[in-house]
Amino acid sequence: MYWDRLNPLVLNAELRYGLDAELYEPLIEARGLIEPEVAAMAALRAKPEQIAAIKVAFNGLAEMEDPTPEERISADVLFHRAVLAACGNWVFKRFGPVLDAAITARMDLALRSNSIDPPFALAKHKRIVDAIAERNPVEARCATLGVLALSKPVYADYFAEEEQLDRSCISGMNLRLPSPI
């Protein structure tokens, strides 16, 4: 039987019943390709009320005091969903459940490896907010890559990879892409 792994119910079940590199790496690769462009598009296309929603979502993330893991994940997903909603592209919006799963998986890995977001993680999210509000797609793309770079060390720590993360905006996340067939 074939399971549609992009179906939100299937993705959530997979996250609940066993997170492994085979599930996590494709989620991070997809997120790394989609989210920077979504942020750049949001910088160009967001309506004022969408920018306000992004700011509200960020403030919710920033103002949390001693959140539970579930609360932290929910606030982070809400922030990234607000950016996704502002991109103005219905196809990209359909990737919301995939991005939700990638964020949830990343946070789950962080908890399993006793890793917490560094203090500058919030500042990296704020760069996205500011770039979108300033209508700067290049900065929005780079700021998003900066946030996504936080996922790579968590992934590497949990799955015992020994890769160096290239933190330059030009190189993106330095992910290993599948070999051409």
Side-chain angles (χ1 to χ4, degrees):
M1 175 179 225
Y2 169 76
W3 291 94
D4 177 6
R5 293 182 87 182
L6 293 179
N7 180 301
L9 293 173
V10 174
L11 267 174
N12 288 330
E14 285 192 282
L15 289 174
R16 250 182 309 200
Y17 296 108
L19 185 59
D20 60 16
E22 183 182 326
L23 173 63
Y24 188 69
E25 189 167 288
L27 289 173
I28 292 303
E29 287 175 346
R31 189 176 179 203
L33 291 172
I34 295 166
E35 225 171 337
E37 295 312 309
V38 161
M41 292 168 74
L44 294 172
R45 299 176 177 175
K47 296 179 174 105
E49 61 271 15
Q50 291 171 316
I51 293 172
I54 292 168
K55 289 178 179 180
V56 166
F58 172 78
N59 289 336
L61 194 58
E63 294 168 1
M64 296 184 88
E65 291 185 28
D66 197 29
T68 65
E70 294 79 16
E71 291 169 334
R72 173 68 175 88
I73 290 169
S74 180
D76 202 23
V77 165
L78 185 64
F79 172 77
H80 291 279
R81 277 297 190 116
V83 175
L84 185 62
C87 81
N89 182 304
W90 70 268
V91 175
F92 281 149
K93 289 179 189 178
R94 297 282 300 184
F95 283 96
V98 173
L99 299 180
D100 297 353
I103 292 165
T104 301
R106 183 229 177 260
M107 295 300 289
D108 187 51
L109 287 180
L111 291 171
R112 289 184 194 191
S113 64
N114 294 319
S115 174
I116 58 169
D117 281 340
F120 57 81
L122 203 54
K124 288 181 175 282
H125 283 75
K126 180 75 164 90
R127 273 184 66 204
I128 297 171
V129 176
D130 293 343
I132 291 171
E134 293 165 7
R135 306 292 189 180
N136 185 337
V138 173
E139 176 61 15
R141 183 180 295 114
C142 288
T144 302
L145 286 168
V147 167
L148 296 178
L150 297 171
S151 296
K152 192 66 174 180
V154 170
Y155 170 83
D157 289 347
Y158 187 76
F159 293 112
E161 288 189 359
E162 295 184 9
E163 297 178 27
Q164 289 296 318
L165 175 62
D166 180 351
R167 296 187 184 275
S168 72
C169 181
I170 296 169
S171 297
M173 289 184 59
N174 195 23
L175 294 173
R176 293 185 325 266
L177 295 177
S179 303
I181 297 175

